[in-house]
Amino acid sequence: MRADRPTRVYGVDFSGAKDPSGKLYVAQGTLSADGGAFELESCVACDDRLDAFAMLLGAPDGSVWGFDAPFAPASPAYDAFGFTQWEEWLSLAAGSSRSSFLEALDRLFPAHETPCVAHGWACRHTDVACRAASPFKRVQPNLRAMVYAGWKWLSYARQAGCAVYPFDRRDAARSSSPVLFEVYPSYIARAAQGRRSLDVSAVAAYAQAYAGWREHPLSGDLGAASQDAVDACAACLTLAVVVAREGAALASGARPGFANDLEWEARMREGLIVRPSGA
């Protein structure tokens, strides 16, 4: 998020499946130094989460990454585990097998399959604001498996020097490291056309209008024929428009325009879904 040079922006449609092949995509593009133009350049499939991790490690300095995966649970869930710090969830995932992690969640938390409408053990304030699913949802998709893979991934990324928004401060050691943000592609898709679809151009047109970009961000055919690929593109576009409009707030730790009072107060435990304001 440097004002003196273009920013490389990535969007990841993450997967918690044992075999993520065909389910995990990474889209990427470039935001101009002045934030006035963005080009969504490619969308590629990953056979394994290691492929996406290798892309992260090889990304340019100052790159930003939007991940379609919950970065944290709701505050009441901390009490159920006896946790006080967000990092404890990452350590739990990194130090557990998939089966033991899921069994631990199942012992403490019943199913919660409906979209979030109220804050509680299953739903964060940011989930409620976005009408997102609970991080503890079990089916279609299994977000419990997603947070297992995602929190382990975040743990490894932080060990590699990456920063995770809003939990990590951008100190001197992390001034040029990649920064990871939680995004929710369905949010921008609903704003663009009322629902998710395979139409990347509709989301791109909405992003252009919202950010005020000089040109349409799609310059060619990305080959995004599956919903997972389209979601990766939407994740990339989401982060690009927010960085274009609110990059200074994201970099400094100031409150961005999309975060309501309850989200902002709980951010260091519950995280924030980064999104266009007022969509």
Side-chain angles (χ1 to χ4, degrees):
M1 291 180 285
R2 291 281 299 276
D4 60 346
R5 65 185 181 190
T7 299
R8 196 71 174 158
V9 183
Y10 297 81
V12 182
D13 183 64
F14 200 66
S15 173
K18 287 184 178 180
D19 177 8
S21 179
K23 306 177 183 72
L24 197 162
Y25 286 80
V26 179
Q28 54 188 298
T30 302
L31 181 68
S32 64
D34 65 357
F38 177 71
E39 182 179 1
L40 183 60
E41 299 158 357
S42 66
C43 182
V44 298
C46 296
D47 285 334
D48 190 88
R49 282 179 283 273
L50 280 173
D51 298 329
F53 195 74
M55 292 176 68
L56 175 69
L57 295 183
D61 287 351
S63 63
V64 293
W65 290 70
F67 273 76
D68 180 18
F71 281 10
S75 291
Y78 283 71
D79 298 331
F81 266 88
F83 289 167
T84 60
Q85 302 295 319
W86 168 70
E87 291 86 351
E88 293 177 274
W89 294 102
L90 306 192
S91 296
L92 175 67
S96 301
S97 67
R98 174 185 294 266
S99 60
S100 64
F101 179 88
L102 296 179
E103 288 168 3
L105 294 190
D106 289 345
R107 283 195 300 270
L108 292 172
F109 304 120
H112 190 285
E113 303 304 316
T114 57
C116 288
V117 295
H119 183 258
W121 66 266
C123 294
R124 302 172 292 169
H125 288 296
T126 200
D127 295 321
V128 175
C130 295
R131 289 183 293 144
S134 165
F136 294 144
K137 181 178 172 66
R138 280 178 172 159
V139 296
Q140 295 182 341
N142 182 351
L143 289 185
R144 298 185 185 217
M146 177 85 77
V147 297
Y148 168 71
W151 295 349
K152 179 176 283 192
W153 214 94
L154 291 178
S155 177
Y156 297 159
R158 293 176 85 234
Q159 290 176 36
C162 299
V164 178
Y165 180 85
F167 303 99
D168 294 322
R169 296 181 62 86
R170 295 302 304 280
D171 54 21
R174 285 190 167 119
S175 60
S176 62
S177 64
V179 186
L180 283 58
F181 298 84
E182 180 182 347
V183 296
Y184 183 50
S186 292
Y187 188 85
I188 197 171
R190 289 198 305 255
Q193 53 191 336
R195 60 182 177 82
R196 294 167 74 211
S197 77
L198 295 178
D199 187 3
V200 180
S201 63
V203 176
Y206 173 86
Q208 180 189 11
Y210 178 88
W213 291 328
R214 294 181 288 270
E215 299 176 356
H216 194 279
L218 296 184
S219 59
D221 182 12
L222 297 178
S226 72
Q227 190 63 64
D228 292 315
V230 170
D231 285 350
C233 293
C236 190
L237 287 162
T238 293
L239 188 54
V241 300
V242 178
V243 171
R245 291 281 295 269
E246 303 200 65
L250 297 180
S252 67
R255 176 174 168 174
F258 60 79
N260 65 39
D261 292 344
L262 294 173
E263 286 179 279
W264 188 245
E265 183 178 353
R267 70 190 184 283
M268 298 308 293
R269 275 193 157 198
E270 299 190 352
L272 289 170
I273 295 174
V274 173
R275 60 196 187 272
S277 302

